[in-house]
Amino acid sequence: MSNVTVCVRFRPLSSKEKRDLGDNICIQSMDSETFIIKDEKEEGFTFSFDKVFYEESKQADVYEFLVLPIVRDTVNSINGTIITYGQTGAGKTYSMEGSNILESDEKKKGILPRVVDGLFACIKTSADSTKYTVKLSMVEIYMEKVRDLFDLSKDNIQIKESKTQGIVLSGATEISLSDTAEALQSLSSGIANRAIGETQMNMASSRSHCVYMFTLNQESISEKRVKSGKLILVDLAGSEKVEKTGAEGRVLEEAKTINKSLSALGNVINALTCGSPSKANHIPYRDSKLTRMLQDALGGNSRTALLCCCSPSPSNASESLSTLRFGARAKHIKTSPLVKVSEEKCSKKNGDASGTRDESFEKILEKMSERLNDEDIKLLEELFIQAGLFVDPYSEEDLESAIQDVVQQTIYSLMKAVEELRSTVEMLQRENNAMKGRLAVAERCDALPGENADFLQKIFGFLSSFIPGM
């Protein structure tokens, strides 16, 4: 068992923060792990984390302390997850990607391009008897739908759980990578498809949670086995206060969905850290697509690191405090990272891993269908499933997962319908009250003597054209 590694990074003050409050900051550094932050009432709170990166910290500092150990573990077939968290405009995407994913300036490179460099550097220094294959998938969670950023036609990917593979994205595009340059170009094309929007706090605010998944298969010729490791990087969309971002219309709806999924993430962390050790505690992973996708990273088979990004400005003290409290709770999460070894033998013919068993037996069935009738093929498929050689696409596990997905989507749709219905009822109530007011005025006018009533009716009609609701 190991704890989640949690670090905090304070970005430099923005030009707007300097314009509003000068160079004032709300944090006081104690050392590289501890600091004091003051809220709007000047009350101080002390926090301690694995490492604190202050305003002058470098991109390389964050990578070497927080990320590099996990990259090395992934090459050794231990799953790893790195998450950036914080309010909108706090520097999450800059920490993750840098100023540009193709940035050549070493000082500005973010976590993602450094991970690519680190993975291929580790592979190059590995033993000659070991062969690696690297694959990349890239999705975003936008408005509670998982979208493939390499194939925009796949806009509602289902999240499933496998006993052997853990959480998997059914049908997500996987790109094979041969070197650093190819990996960065692929990432750049995926990032270009990500949903962004402008708010008062960020010119290019992320409107979705972005997930980068590197899968490394390691084939040892001497051991005749294949080991695999998965490295997931998650750039979360920022929590938002509407009064600060000025969000409206579509951007406001996006903000509501973002905040709802981040709230679900907070609930999962509370359930993981506040339950009784001696008593099984329900963890609400299925409450959102985000928490479902992070199920392995949060208390599962993964070595996990969290980077909490904050503003040092007193104007954002309450949001920074919320982020820090989230990080403090996450530090208590226990994970169980294990090396994953496949029982499949290496191919003797060309030394390559022979691919998944499902794909192999699909090909066998396809070839045999040319000579056998449909009944024979169906019988053969059933025998493969019974022997455990082929995964039943309608197994109890997959059906349960599919049912849960449908239930979750139905609940989300019903909640949205209730919100729309509530808005409609409120509008009808306002119109009804206005109509009652007009009716009351009309009745009073009718009670007046003839000429006075006609005069007041004309005045009332004139005012109604200028004042809505009369």
Side-chain angles (χ1 to χ4, degrees):
M1 299 287 282
S2 65
N3 285 74
V4 171
T5 302
V6 181
C7 295
V8 174
R9 187 178 195 185
F10 290 99
R11 63 159 171 76
L13 290 167
S14 67
S15 55
K16 182 180 184 301
E17 289 167 340
K18 287 183 178 181
R19 188 169 59 250
D20 293 344
L21 295 171
D23 292 328
N24 293 328
I25 60 174
C26 61
I27 56 169
Q28 179 186 343
S29 169
M30 305 297 287
D31 54 39
S32 62
E33 298 176 359
T34 307
F35 60 90
I36 297 172
I37 181 170
K38 292 184 178 180
D39 62 10
E40 294 93 335
K41 299 177 181 179
E42 291 295 310
E43 183 179 356
F45 299 86
T46 303
F47 287 92
S48 293
F49 294 95
D50 294 291
K51 183 82 171 177
V52 181
F53 300 100
Y54 296 102
E55 299 96 312
E56 69 280 0
S57 64
K58 300 175 182 177
Q59 295 277 63
D61 297 337
V62 177
Y63 173 75
E64 289 171 7
F65 181 88
L66 187 68
V67 182
L68 183 56
I70 294 179
V71 171
R72 289 171 176 161
D73 283 342
T74 303
V75 176
N76 291 321
S77 304
I78 298 174
N79 293 340
T81 305
I82 298 147
I83 304 169
T84 57
Y85 178 92
Q87 76 173 117
T88 185
K92 299 180 301 300
T93 300
Y94 179 77
S95 294
M96 182 64 76
E97 298 175 8
S99 55
N100 186 304
I101 193 66
L102 301 175
E103 178 63 64
S104 57
D105 187 341
E106 191 66 26
K107 292 181 180 178
K108 295 180 181 179
K109 276 187 177 180
I111 291 171
L112 196 52
R114 292 178 191 274
V115 162
V116 171
D117 290 341
L119 286 174
F120 283 100
C122 289
I123 290 172
K124 283 181 181 179
T125 58
S126 62
D128 293 336
S129 60
T130 304
K131 183 175 181 178
Y132 288 90
T133 57
V134 184
K135 292 184 178 181
L136 171 66
S137 294
M138 189 172 168
V139 301
E140 69 173 355
I141 304 173
Y142 176 74
M143 300 292 284
E144 273 304 291
K145 284 190 175 183
V146 181
R147 306 200 304 189
D148 192 329
L149 292 176
F150 289 141
D151 184 353
L152 296 179
S153 66
K154 300 176 181 178
D155 60 357
N156 192 18
I157 292 172
Q158 298 302 304
I159 304 171
K160 297 191 176 183
E161 186 174 4
S162 164
K163 290 180 180 178
T164 56
Q165 296 178 325
I167 297 298
V168 294
L169 299 178
S170 179
T173 303
E174 274 194 325
I175 296 178
S176 295
L177 306 175
S178 58
D179 55 37
T180 300
E182 184 180 14
L184 293 177
Q185 286 294 338
S186 298
L187 287 167
S188 180
S189 66
I191 289 169
N193 290 327
R194 189 178 178 186
I196 60 172
E198 182 179 345
T199 71
Q200 292 177 8
M201 293 190 69
N202 197 343
M203 289 291 289
S205 174
S206 301
R207 312 311 297 163
S208 66
H209 308 301
C210 192
V211 183
Y212 314 86
M213 293 168 286
F214 294 90
T215 303
L216 279 77
N217 288 322
Q218 178 188 152
E219 178 189 332
S220 175
I221 298 172
S222 58
E223 295 180 6
K224 303 294 184 182
R225 288 188 177 182
V226 176
K227 295 191 290 185
S228 65
K230 188 181 292 184
L231 178 59
I232 300 175
L233 295 93
V234 186
D235 180 17
L236 295 176
S239 56
E240 298 186 9
K241 284 191 174 180
V242 176
E243 61 268 25
K244 285 192 174 183
T245 62
E248 56 185 22
R250 181 70 175 180
V251 177
L252 178 59
E253 291 304 311
E254 292 168 345
K256 288 179 181 178
T257 308
I258 290 168
N259 288 342
K260 183 179 176 182
S261 63
L262 292 174
S263 177
L265 178 59
N267 292 338
V268 166
I269 288 179
N270 283 338
L272 286 168
T273 56
C274 297
S276 171
S278 59
K279 186 178 180 181
N281 193 27
H282 171 67
I283 311 299
Y285 289 118
R286 292 181 180 270
D287 283 1
S288 78
K289 294 291 177 70
L290 175 63
T291 51
R292 182 72 168 136
M293 196 178 293
L294 292 179
Q295 183 170 333
D296 286 340
L298 303 171
N301 177 23
S302 178
R303 185 152 288 161
T304 304
L306 173 67
L307 181 64
C308 294
C309 298
C310 300
S311 162
S313 173
S315 61
N316 292 312
S318 62
E319 289 88 346
S320 294
L321 265 171
S322 177
T323 298
L324 296 170
R325 285 168 178 151
F326 176 91
R329 292 197 305 272
K331 261 189 70 64
H332 298 290
I333 295 176
K334 301 284 186 181
T335 61
S336 306
L338 300 170
V339 175
K340 181 185 171 186
V341 181
S342 171
E343 295 298 327
E344 297 174 45
K345 299 290 184 180
C346 300
S347 170
K348 293 180 180 180
K349 185 175 180 180
N350 55 18
D352 290 336
S354 60
T356 65
R357 292 188 298 181
D358 286 8
E359 292 173 352
S360 300
F361 286 104
E362 282 278 17
K363 291 177 181 177
I364 292 172
L365 290 172
E366 185 179 348
K367 285 290 183 183
M368 296 190 73
S369 65
E370 297 172 3
R371 300 187 180 184
L372 301 176
N373 59 40
D374 291 343
E375 289 185 4
D376 292 335
I377 289 295
K378 189 174 181 181
L379 175 62
L380 190 59
E381 186 174 348
E382 288 176 358
L383 290 173
F384 280 163
I385 292 171
Q386 290 172 10
L389 300 174
F390 187 60
V391 176
D392 182 2
Y394 303 104
S395 66
E396 184 178 344
E397 182 182 14
D398 283 344
L399 282 173
E400 182 184 350
S401 178
I403 290 169
Q404 288 291 344
D405 288 335
V406 171
V407 169
Q408 181 180 321
Q409 188 63 37
T410 303
I411 291 172
Y412 175 74
S413 299
L414 287 173
M415 290 176 67
K416 192 171 181 181
V418 168
E419 288 180 8
E420 292 174 356
L421 183 61
R422 187 183 294 114
S423 298
T424 303
V425 169
E426 290 175 355
M427 182 186 70
L428 291 174
Q429 285 177 338
R430 288 195 297 270
E431 291 180 356
N432 186 43
N433 291 335
M435 191 176 294
K436 285 180 178 178
R438 289 196 294 271
L439 184 60
V441 171
E443 289 174 349
R444 288 197 293 271
C445 289
D446 290 341
L448 294 172
E451 290 185 2
N452 291 334
D454 292 339
F455 176 73
L456 286 175
Q457 286 281 15
K458 289 179 181 178
I459 294 296
F460 178 69
F462 177 74
L463 291 175
S464 295
S465 63
F466 291 97
I467 304 174
M470 279 197 67

